Amino acid sequence: MLKSASLLLATIFMATGLTLTAQCPDHRPHCGRAYECPEDGHRHCGRHDRCRYIVSNDKVYFNGHLVKDASAMTFKTLADGYAADAWNVYFDGRKIDGASVNSFQYLGDGYAKDNWNAYYLGAKIDGASVNSFETLGDGYAHDNWNTYYCGNRIAD
């Protein structure tokens, strides 16, 4: 029944020329970063809802690409493109150089930190103080000295 209804709606939209526009599930801006997933061809508003890591045959893949040097036995997906194994932390299938697996934590809104650095979408945020670093929502974060938007320090 659900399949028939979906087919009927698709036929109606095609016949009338109407299109559906996908929105972010939480309807918030995500710094203008719409992530186009090669797996399903959809744009995911900076989130990785459908683009994900897969462990198969003792290998780890992200969107059909091998994650080099990842340990399938210890691999864990964290959130929004972040993942870790026993030795490394990854974002979008790429190793984050210098990230500490033992202290790494995802904070939300694309931000993460370990004992030494703060990160936005897997990139180190230069000069951020990790002891006081926290997210504020909608792409904002701050520490005791600076405020950041989408990983960039806001001047003044």
Side-chain angles (χ1 to χ4, degrees), residues 24-33 45-47 80 106-111 120-121 134-142 147-152 154:
C24 295
D26 59 5
H27 306 288
R28 293 184 312 165
H30 290 281
C31 307
R33 182 179 186 267
C45 305
R47 296 181 168 266
D80 284 344
Y106 178 67
L107 302 174
D109 240 6
Y111 289 99
Y120 180 72
L121 301 179
E134 61 186 12
T135 60
L136 300 171
D138 293 325
Y140 289 94
H142 74 128
T147 301
Y148 304 88
Y149 180 69
C150 295
N152 298 304
I154 298 172

Side-chain angles (χ1 to χ4, degrees), residues 10-62:
T11 305
I12 291 169
F13 276 91
M14 286 175 31
T16 61
L18 295 174
T19 58
L20 289 173
T21 303
Q23 291 188 355
C24 295
D26 59 5
H27 306 288
R28 293 184 312 165
H30 290 281
C31 307
R33 182 179 186 267
Y35 185 83
E36 188 157 334
C37 178
E39 182 179 302
D40 64 9
H42 294 103
R43 294 177 71 76
H44 292 286
C45 305
R47 296 181 168 266
H48 295 75
D49 299 357
R50 296 188 183 197
C51 303
R52 64 187 114 192
Y53 294 94
I54 301 292
V55 177
S56 177
N57 297 326
D58 295 325
K59 295 187 188 307
V60 178
Y61 300 90
F62 181 79

